[in-house]
Amino acid sequence: AGLSSAVASDGVTWIETPLEPGEVHDGPLLLQDIDWQSDTSSLSVSWMDFYSFFGPERYEICAGTQPLLCDIAAFENVTNLADGSPLTRAVPHPTQLQVYNHTLRGLALQHGQTYYVTVTLVDTVGRRTAAASNGVGLDAT
């Protein structure tokens, strides 16, 4: 009967923290980059050092014939580690950085072509940063 209340705040402070793209390595072994491969149907990649204060929501992985181009394999979402555990927030300390890997399968790769894998971090507030591998050549002979 005529009751009311009011609530106020002193505002919100938004601190813009930079996103940091990390290292991307071609090949099936963690952080061991390869220059050539003979497999014509898949590309493997590992990555580390991507950073967002807000933590990763997911990584998006694609492949192309140029760095940061996705003309060979469209983005695949990576939301869990290889063992099925969820992604964890990155911590900017060298002994606590996460290393991730993923394999794009079902590709039709051509002999003599160089392929680049792009990794995009999408953080929990929707910001994005990307980095590409230095490329892997295909030698199917």
Side-chain angles (χ1 to χ4, degrees), residues 3 8 11 16 29 33 39 47 63 75 78 90 92 103 113 131:
L3 298 176
E16 185 65 32
L29 301 176
D33 194 71
D39 183 349
W47 67 95
F75 278 117
V78 177
T103 300
Q113 178 68 53

Side-chain angles (χ1 to χ4, degrees), residues 46 125 128 141:
S46 62
V125 293
R128 306 165 74 84
T141 58

Side-chain angles (χ1 to χ4, degrees), residues 47 56-61 76-82 84-88 100 102 122:
W47 67 95
E57 173 74 24
R58 69 182 179 276
Y59 289 94
E60 296 175 345
I61 315 301
E76 290 185 10
N77 289 329
V78 177
T79 57
N80 290 70
L81 300 175
S85 61
L87 296 175
T88 55
Y100 304 97
H102 186 71
V122 181

Side-chain angles (χ1 to χ4, degrees), residues 1 14 18 31 41 68 72 75 89 93-94 96 102 104 109-110 120 129 138:
W14 181 264
L31 305 181
S41 64
L68 305 175
I72 299 300
F75 278 117
R89 178 186 221 167
H93 187 278
Q96 297 175 336
H102 186 71
L104 297 166
L109 306 177
Q110 301 298 312
T120 302
T129 188
L138 188 75

Side-chain angles (χ1 to χ4, degrees), residues 19-69:
L19 291 167
E20 297 176 17
E23 298 175 28
V24 180
H25 300 271
D26 301 295
L29 301 176
L30 293 180
L31 305 181
Q32 295 184 20
D33 194 71
I34 61 172
D35 295 323
W36 296 95
Q37 74 173 41
S38 59
D39 183 349
T40 60
S41 64
S42 69
L43 290 168
S44 294
V45 63
S46 62
W47 67 95
M48 67 177 280
D49 288 349
F50 281 75
Y51 178 74
S52 166
F53 174 80
F54 300 102
E57 173 74 24
R58 69 182 179 276
Y59 289 94
E60 296 175 345
I61 315 301
C62 72
T65 54
Q66 296 178 25
L68 305 175
L69 181 65

